[in-house]
Every structure is written in structure tokens, then in C-alpha cells.
Amino acid sequence: MARILLLVGLCIYSLSYTSAQQGGTECLKANAKSCGECIQAGPNCGWCTKVDFLQEGEPTSARCDDLAALKSKGCPEESVQNPRGSKEKLKDNAITNKAKGERMDPANITQIRPQQLRFELRSGEPQTFNLTFRRAEDYPIDLYYLMDLSYSMKDDLENVKSLGTALMREMEQITSDFRIGFGSFVEKTVMPYISTTPAKLINPCTTEQNCSSPFSFKNVLNLTSDGKLFNDLVGKQQISGNLDSPEGGFDAIMQVAVCGEQIGWRNVTRLLVFSTDAGFHFAGDGKLGGIVLPNDGKCHMHENMYTMSHYYDYPSIAHIVQKLSENNIQTIFAVTEDFQPVYKELKNLIPKSAVGTLSSNSSNVIQLIIDSYNSLSSELILENSKLPEGLTISYKSFCKNGVIGTGENGRKCSNISLGDQVQFEISVTAHKCPKKDQPNSIKIKPLGFTEEVEILLKFICECDCQESGTPDSPECHYGNGTFECGACRCNEGRIGKHCECSTEQVSNEDMDAQCRKENSSEICSNNGDCICGQCVCKKRDNPNEVYSGKYCDCDNFNCDRSNGQICGGNGVCKCRVCECFPNFSGSACDCSEDKSTCMASNGQLCNGRGICECGRCKCTDPKFQGPTCEMCQTCAGVCADHKECVQCRAFQKGEKQAVCNSQCFHFNYTMVDSRDKLPQPGQADALTHCKEKDADDCWFYFTYSVNANSEVHVHVVKDPECPSGPDIIPIVAGVVAGIVLIGLALLLIWKLLMIIHDRREFAKFEKEKMNAKWDAQENPIYKSPINNFKNPNYGRKAAL
């Protein structure tokens, strides 16, 4: 009994000591139980291995403290475990002094040093090295000219046809080892980007203009030093055409970046000149053409043509940035003035890229390339590969004219000329020991260059003294622990400084504070007992059900269930969370990740129209249905896609008659007597009614359906509906009769109008006649036949 009380007192003292040190150093706050835990607490933490270092009642964690405190407590220097990090240069070749005109293998040209180092990292202790860079004179250059060949670039193509030899002459001022290649792009060959009518697929331009068939991307010429060959091949190119304004240039950039072998890239300076007078499509725009499968970032070149543009969506900007960076390609956007703002925004997202203003007919393209290359080569930007968890890296640059950069500016130097040498101070710091699956190296390289610095990493996570520990040592209370680094690491079920405390023997209510979680009043979460300051979890009636955790706050039986089983029988319940077996996921591990049930006959998951969730296709567009999203009742393309195969199978005619056996046996078909006998909605899964016209202008009817087992069945009306020929005689007779009737009708109308007019005039005359007033005494036009004459001399004679 006295022994138990003594142990209880020691535990209480240990708790009080720990609480008193909460405001102490980071080493004491770590409450380290071993030397390995101590050295990970901070770079200034040491572990005292002196056996009698601890005072009566001091906990084991008191061995971990800063070096000055250990010395003041009487720990000899030789007893302090304080491993330090280190660095070693494994490869440090001198920077190459290459004379102009001197031909060298690019692999033997060095512009950056050192090339490889080895770091041993301790938590919190940075390891620093200096990186030196100097641009080699006459460094080889590969330039690939990627041109938009849509119709609006017609004038530009004429100037590019002589680009090869002219650019060769100009680039001789920069390098004696220059190669040039050429590729072109237009757009995805699906609606609504191009017209898919047969005539437009042959010549997308007007009948007066002869254009080449539309395509997504074509590698016209691999990288070559023959400028005349460039002129000859480019001179044979023709303009093509498309419907919308944005072009499919991102598809072309992706293929140029990832198809290194087909393009012929060398490990030298790689330049990609992107020439266009329009905007660009990017990820998500493919949905307009029914393309929803994300771009996979792989090479799909066959006979120098990109063959998967109609299957994969456009790549995203982030995807383009990643692939250009991985392949050390620097991009020059040669675009017209109207699209300068768009591509300048794009330049800000793509490191080591430049934008130049292209004249309306590309006449200034050579000067644009020279200026952009000089701009790109005068700036150096460092980037690093993905860092292991808990590792950080910092940069400090020492550039020309005494310019010093820190933070993000520490990664780059500007205005670098040939022969200029710049330096970077790079520090790598580990803040904890990473997990075992983390990468054990990092790489640092200048953007746009193939050379890099590789740093091999080794993390100091344990002390040397732990390797010489004594298992089941008598120093640890009759072999109840391993004696290492001057202290005991107790076996399971034992606690205390010397593992003297058995969790089954010692218990005291005064230690309950150590058994409570923060902000909780429950001891051991009501699932255990506090013994010797530690929680011992209760046992359940079912031996397969257990509580666990420092505070007994975890168990293996309160996880989500599926089909009456914990974690659906497809996982293990750990701390109330299901850890699923491989190929299962979900909170109850009820989601199968086996995607074979979602695989369509064309080899795509869910036909590229949905996502596979728990072994079933979830179509992203509600108009698609079927087990693998293969059917669309409202899509005209279903009928058009299958009409040729239906013709050759049911009627033995059509364009696919010659290849019917090889291409058209993916479905079963049944002939029916009439349209009324065709299946109706509700009688079959994913049913589509189709009406198509054959080469004889006859209409034939069929239905296309897919059942739950992805089996396709077609019902076809056996007799097509063909229009009868016209009857000529009735048509001619009808036309003649119509003309005669129309003439008679016009004559009758004219006669009627004349009668109406005459009657109106006569009525007017009658009215005027009635209104006339005649003089009854004298007719104004009457002249009497009697004339009177007067003799002028008659009166004069009488007077006489």
C-alpha cells in the first residue's frame, strides 16, 4: 500500500512540474518522451543522456531543454544529444565558357552550379547554399512557329512563307545553332466550331476560294536547321476556315508541349511562337460541341495530326502552364493589336512568356520574335518542384548593379545580358519529419532552361543513442522498457520515469486533470478509467469492439454502416471513421471504385458524358441516359450516327454497304410491318424514334434503344416510304385552265367597271338636265328671217 501511495505522489509531482513549465521554452513545452521527439521540437533543443540527471520527481521530458539550460542544470557537454544538419556538394561542374561559333553538345554546356547536393535536415535548422547562373554565349535555340490558319490569317500566311531563311539570317546574330519548325491549327472538327456539312468539310470557304479541310492541329515540319525546307513546306500550306471567332490554339499548344519526340525538341532553349488574330477556347468550352472529357495532357499525334480533338475538351490555362513549365518551353504570343489586352492577361498567368503586336499581315514577325526572345532571355526566374510536407524554401537574389531581391522577388533577376553572372542564396528548412511516402529530393531550375539543381534530402528524426538502446533493460523496473539515451522508453502497459507504474495498479482521482480533453469535464470521455494519470479504456462485452485513444475518445464500432455491416464490410473502423479497403470509398465504404462497369464500348468512361460514382455512371447532362450515358433522346445525332448502319443491315444499301460486316454489327435489329408496330416510350430503355432519308429520297423509320445491360436493339419498318412521281397532264391542264380563268375573270372585272362608270356619267347628265333653266321669250340663238331697213331720206322729204 505504501508503495502505491509513493507512486501516486510521484505522478502528482510530475503533473505539477509539467504545468509549472507551460510558459517555458519550446523544448519543455514539447513534453518529449524520447530523444527523437526532443530534437524535432526545435533546432536549439538538446537531450541529456546522463543517467542521474533528473532530480527526484522530475519527469522524463525534463531531459529535453535548450542547450544553455541543460548546461546550467549540470548536464556535461558530452552527454548532450544535439545532432546538427549538414550539406554536401555531390556535383559542382564549372560554368562553361563557350566561344561564339563553337559547336558543343548541349548536354555538355553548363550555365548553373552546383548541380547536385545532399542535405541532412534537422527540424527548424535551415541549410543554405549559393546558386550561380551565367548565360552561355551562342547557346542553341529551337523555335517552333505555331500559326492560326483560319481564313482571317490569309494575308499573314503569305509573309510567313519566307520566314525560314529570313529568320535564320537574323538568328545567326544570336546563335550559330538554330533550328525552326512549323505547325498550324484551326479548330475542333465538330459543330458548332466548324460546319460539318460534307461540302464544308472539304472546302470550308466560299466556292471562289479554295481552302483546305478544317483540322485541329497539324505538325507541318519538325524542328530543322534547313530554312529553305521551312519555306518550301510552309509555301504549300493553305488557309482553312471555321465558324466561331475564338480558335482552338490551346489544343495545339498542348500537343506541341507534350509531343517532344514528334516535334524534335532538344534540351536547349525552346521557343514557341503562337501567331493568331483571334481569342482562344479553354476548358469547359468543349461542352458546346458535346465534349466533356477533360484534356488528359498526353500526346495524341498520329501521322503529324492531333487525332483526339473531338474526344477531349480544351486544356485549362493552369494545365497549359504546367506542361509548358515541365517541358521548359518559353512562349511568344504574336497577336494583332485588337487582342493585345487578352493575351497580356494570359501572359501574366504563364511564366516566361511574352506578347508582341503582330501587324495586320505579319510583316513584322521576325523583329517581333527577336525582341521577344531578348526580353525573355534577359529575365531569370527560379522555380522548385513539389516540396515534402513540412519543408519550406526561401530565396534571396543578388542581381546586376547591386540589386538584391527577397521574398517572391528573390526568385528572379532582370536585365541579364550575355556573360552576366547572378547569384541566389537559397535556404531549405524542415519543420517536422515527413511521412515515409514523401519525396526524398527537390529540384530547382530556371524557368525555360533544362538545367537544374537536385537536392537529396535526409531528415534527422532520431538520435544516435537510440540505436544502442537496451531492450527489456533492468534499469527500467525489471525489464519493463528499453533503456536508451539515459532514460527508459516503457513497454506497453507501463508508465513512469522508470516504467515502474502499471496502468492496472495505480489510480487516483487527483490525476483526473491529465485524463480530460481540453474544455471537457468528462474523465476519459466516460469510456475508461484514469490510472496513474493516463486513461485505460473500458472493455466491452464484445471482444471485437474496443475503445482507444489518449482520452478513450475513439472506438471501432460507431462508424457508418451499410447493409447492416460496419463500414459495409469493406473497411476498418478506426476512431469512428471508416478506413476503406482498396477500391472502396465513402463514409460507410459502400462506394465501389471499380470503374469497369462504367466503361463504354468506345473505351471511355461514361462515354465522356458523365462521371463514374460508386460503379455507376452519373451523367453530367440530364439529356443523356443509359448505363454509360450513351443515349440522348433529344439529340439529332443519335439517328444520324446510326442511319448508315441501319440501311446496310436492313436494306443492304447505303454508304457503309462495303464495310457493313466490320463496322455495323454492334446491334441487333428486328423488322416490323409498319410504324405502329415500332416500340413506344415505356416499352424499352433509352428509346429514340428516328426518321431518315436514304439515297433514293425514301423515308425509312427505325427506333434505337439500349437496355440495362448496354445491349443495343434496333426496330426497322421494312417498307420505306418513297414519294410517287408527278402526273404531268393534270399539271399542264391545270396551268392552262388557270390562265384562261384568270383572263376571263379580268375581262369580266373590266366590263363591270366600265358599266358602272357609264351609269354614273348618265346619271350625272340627267341630273344636269333637270337643273337647267331656259328663257321662254327669246331663244338667244334664234335669228328672224325678216329684215327691216329704214330710208334715211324718208323724213327729210316730208319736211320739204
Side-chain angles (χ1 to χ4, degrees):
M1 185 66 181
R3 177 175 174 273
I4 293 177
L5 291 175
L6 176 61
L7 294 177
V8 170
L10 290 175
C11 291
I12 295 173
Y13 181 82
S14 175
L15 175 62
S16 302
Y17 181 84
T18 303
S19 300
Q21 295 295 333
Q22 290 300 311
T25 65
E26 61 179 353
C27 307
L28 291 174
K29 291 180 179 180
N31 196 25
K33 299 297 189 296
S34 66
C35 185
E37 293 180 9
C38 179
I39 63 174
Q40 293 182 53
N44 298 318
C45 296
W47 178 272
C48 185
T49 62
K50 185 180 179 183
V51 177
D52 57 352
F53 171 70
L54 297 178
Q55 301 296 317
E56 184 78 20
E58 280 189 306
T60 302
S61 60
R63 291 182 176 275
C64 181
D65 209 337
D66 61 74
L67 303 178
L70 291 177
K71 184 177 180 180
S72 65
K73 291 178 181 179
C75 184
E77 185 175 348
E78 61 272 11
S79 298
V80 176
Q81 285 285 308
N82 182 33
R84 311 311 300 175
S86 63
K87 60 185 177 185
E88 178 186 3
K89 292 182 179 179
L90 302 179
K91 189 176 181 181
D92 189 20
N93 297 333
I95 292 177
T96 304
N97 292 316
K98 182 178 180 297
K100 186 171 179 61
E102 179 184 359
R103 284 298 183 106
M104 292 181 64
D105 185 350
N108 297 327
I109 300 176
T110 302
Q111 300 179 105
I112 189 172
R113 66 178 300 189
Q115 293 81 42
Q116 189 178 50
L117 303 97
R118 179 188 290 118
F119 281 0
E120 288 192 5
L121 297 174
R122 177 179 168 179
S123 294
E125 181 185 14
Q127 293 296 327
T128 303
F129 75 100
N130 291 326
L131 183 149
T132 303
F133 176 86
R134 186 174 70 215
R135 280 181 59 193
E137 188 175 358
D138 200 24
Y139 194 73
I141 298 174
D142 283 354
L143 184 146
Y144 193 85
Y145 196 92
L146 182 59
M147 185 175 181
D148 176 7
L149 281 189
S150 59
Y151 189 77
S152 58
M153 294 288 285
K154 178 182 178 182
D155 295 340
D156 305 73
L157 179 61
E158 296 301 320
N159 286 296
V160 174
K161 288 180 179 179
S162 61
L163 176 66
T165 53
L167 186 58
M168 284 283 184
R169 290 192 298 269
E170 293 295 331
M171 294 301 289
E172 286 177 357
Q173 307 299 321
I174 300 174
T175 176
S176 59
D177 188 0
F178 175 72
R179 300 197 311 167
I180 187 171
F182 184 82
S184 57
F185 67 91
V186 181
E187 187 55 273
K188 290 183 181 296
T189 54
V190 296
M191 284 288 288
Y193 314 110
I194 68 166
S195 175
T196 56
T197 58
K200 289 295 184 181
L201 288 175
I202 298 174
N203 181 12
C205 304
T206 60
T207 55
E208 293 80 10
Q209 176 66 42
N210 187 23
C211 295
S212 65
S213 299
F215 55 90
S216 177
F217 166 67
K218 176 168 58 178
N219 176 35
V220 178
L221 175 65
N222 291 350
L223 290 161
T224 177
S225 56
D226 189 347
K228 185 177 182 301
L229 177 61
F230 180 95
N231 292 348
D232 293 341
L233 288 180
V234 175
K236 297 177 183 179
Q237 301 305 302
Q238 287 183 314
I239 292 295
S240 185
N242 61 316
L243 296 179
D244 61 342
S245 176
E247 314 294 1
F250 273 18
D251 275 344
I253 292 177
M254 177 63 74
Q255 293 305 300
V256 171
V258 299
C259 298
E261 294 183 4
Q262 290 86 337
I263 301 297
W265 290 116
R266 299 178 295 172
N267 287 329
V268 298
T269 297
R270 298 174 176 180
L271 299 178
L272 171 61
V273 179
F274 183 85
S275 175
T276 184
D277 64 347
F280 49 83
H281 284 295
F282 53 88
D285 288 354
K287 293 181 179 179
L288 296 173
I291 304 173
V292 297
L293 193 65
N295 194 286
D296 64 351
K298 296 180 180 179
C299 181
H300 296 288
M301 296 278 290
H302 180 67
E303 295 182 354
N304 287 323
M305 297 289 288
Y306 177 39
T307 59
M308 300 296 285
S309 67
H310 58 295
Y311 285 110
Y312 291 114
D313 193 6
Y314 302 97
S316 65
I317 294 176
H319 204 178
I320 289 289
V321 172
Q322 176 191 354
K323 292 303 179 180
L324 290 175
S325 176
E326 286 179 0
N327 294 280
N328 306 307
I329 297 175
Q330 305 177 62
T331 310
I332 299 172
F333 295 105
V335 298
T336 54
E337 187 173 0
D338 292 342
F339 287 90
Q340 283 287 306
V342 175
Y343 284 91
K344 284 184 178 179
E345 290 295 330
L346 182 62
K347 168 189 173 296
N348 296 332
L349 300 175
I350 302 180
K352 293 294 282 185
S353 63
V355 177
T357 302
L358 193 67
S359 63
S360 59
N361 58 0
S362 296
S363 58
N364 67 329
V365 66
I366 293 179
Q367 190 59 44
L368 185 152
I369 292 173
I370 299 297
D371 294 342
S372 298
Y373 169 74
N374 291 332
S375 173
L376 289 173
S377 60
S378 66
E379 184 177 43
L380 181 70
I381 303 175
L382 297 183
E383 68 167 359
N384 53 265
S385 60
K386 183 180 179 181
L387 301 176
E389 184 180 3
L391 198 73
T392 59
I393 187 169
S394 63
Y395 297 85
K396 185 177 182 180
S397 60
F398 300 88
C399 307
K400 288 177 61 177
N401 303 321
V403 177
I404 298 176
T406 57
E408 282 302 309
N409 290 328
R411 291 175 175 264
K412 58 186 177 181
C413 282
S414 302
N415 300 321
I416 302 174
S417 305
L418 286 174
D420 290 343
Q421 182 168 298
V422 295
Q423 282 193 337
F424 295 86
E425 184 180 274
I426 304 175
S427 295
V428 180
T429 307
H431 299 282
K432 63 177 181 179
C433 286
K435 298 177 182 179
K436 293 182 179 180
D437 58 350
Q438 296 291 309
N440 58 1
S441 68
I442 58 175
K443 295 180 180 179
I444 303 172
K445 69 174 185 178
L447 280 174
F449 292 84
T450 58
E451 298 174 70
E452 62 186 13
V453 179
E454 182 181 25
I455 305 176
L456 305 179
L457 304 175
K458 180 181 178 182
F459 297 89
I460 303 174
C461 299
E462 293 187 347
C463 302
D464 294 338
C465 59
Q466 291 181 255
E467 298 179 359
S468 58
T470 305
D472 303 325
S473 171
E475 298 286 341
C476 302
H477 199 264
Y478 306 106
N480 287 319
T482 300
F483 189 77
E484 62 182 26
C485 303
C488 288
R489 179 180 287 183
C490 299
N491 295 337
E492 186 177 357
R494 307 294 297 189
I495 58 175
K497 185 167 61 175
H498 298 290
C499 307
E500 70 278 10
C501 189
S502 171
T503 56
E504 298 179 354
Q505 295 177 350
V506 180
S507 177
N508 192 298
E509 293 181 358
D510 294 335
M511 296 180 168
D512 289 349
Q514 296 187 50
C515 299
R516 291 190 180 98
K517 293 178 70 174
E518 293 181 3
N519 301 323
S520 176
S521 60
E522 296 179 346
I523 297 175
C524 298
S525 304
N526 286 334
N527 295 323
D529 300 317
C530 187
I531 302 175
C532 201
Q534 293 188 357
C535 286
V536 178
C537 301
K538 296 177 182 178
K539 294 183 178 180
R540 292 177 59 85
D541 295 336
N542 185 347
N544 294 324
E545 297 180 355
V546 295
Y547 290 106
S548 60
K550 181 179 179 181
Y551 302 104
C552 299
D553 54 341
C554 294
D555 61 61
N556 67 345
F557 54 86
N558 274 322
C559 289
D560 291 342
R561 296 173 181 260
S562 178
N563 297 326
Q565 293 182 301
I566 296 176
C567 301
N570 300 318
V572 178
C573 181
K574 292 185 178 181
C575 200
R576 302 180 180 178
V577 177
C578 287
E579 289 189 4
C580 301
F581 297 147
N583 295 327
F584 289 95
S585 62
S587 62
C589 299
D590 54 351
C591 181
S592 172
E593 295 184 353
D594 182 10
K595 297 184 177 180
S596 61
T597 56
C598 298
M599 196 67 67
S601 59
N602 60 7
Q604 289 185 292
L605 282 176
C606 302
N607 261 300
R609 298 164 177 161
I611 56 178
C612 187
E613 291 184 353
C614 302
R616 293 178 177 271
C617 282
K618 182 178 180 182
C619 303
T620 53
D621 191 331
K623 69 181 180 181
F624 290 102
Q625 51 187 296
T628 55
C629 304
E630 72 283 354
M631 283 303 303
C632 174
Q633 297 189 32
T634 59
C635 296
V638 172
C639 298
D641 289 346
H642 299 91
K643 76 169 189 176
E644 296 297 339
C645 281
V646 172
Q647 282 190 78
C648 78
R649 290 284 302 277
F651 305 113
Q652 292 77 46
K653 61 182 180 179
E655 295 181 2
K656 290 192 176 181
Q657 185 176 0
V659 294
C660 192
N661 292 335
S662 60
Q663 297 185 10
C664 297
F665 270 78
H666 59 280
F667 62 86
N668 298 321
Y669 77 97
T670 301
M671 304 296 289
V672 299
D673 294 332
S674 64
R675 293 169 59 185
D676 297 337
K677 300 295 181 65
L678 290 173
Q680 301 302 314
Q683 299 177 5
D685 295 328
L687 179 67
T688 301
H689 279 262
C690 300
K691 175 184 178 183
E692 295 293 337
K693 183 177 288 187
D694 61 15
D696 300 326
D697 284 338
C698 296
W699 292 102
F700 65 98
Y701 300 87
F702 65 94
T703 60
Y704 186 91
S705 61
V706 182
N707 62 20
N709 297 323
S710 299
E711 296 175 347
V712 179
H713 200 96
V714 175
H715 289 76
V716 188
V717 178
K718 65 179 182 180
D719 296 322
E721 293 183 2
C722 298
S724 58
D727 194 346
I728 302 299
I729 295 176
I731 293 175
V732 173
V735 172
V736 173
I739 294 173
V740 172
L741 290 175
I742 292 172
L744 292 175
L746 291 175
L747 287 174
L748 290 173
I749 292 171
W750 176 81
K751 182 62 176 177
L752 178 62
L753 292 176
M754 292 301 297
I755 292 172
I756 293 172
H757 179 267
D758 290 345
R759 288 184 177 181
R760 285 179 178 176
E761 290 296 324
F762 182 74
K764 183 178 178 183
F765 169 75
E766 288 292 330
K767 184 177 179 181
E768 291 293 336
K769 179 180 179 183
M770 295 294 295
N771 293 334
K773 294 181 180 182
W774 302 101
D775 189 355
Q777 295 181 355
E778 183 180 358
N779 188 347
I781 62 174
Y782 173 77
K783 291 184 177 182
S784 177
I786 300 174
N787 293 324
N788 292 322
F789 294 96
K790 186 177 181 180
N791 187 350
N793 294 320
Y794 175 75
R796 188 181 299 172
K797 289 179 176 180
L800 292 177

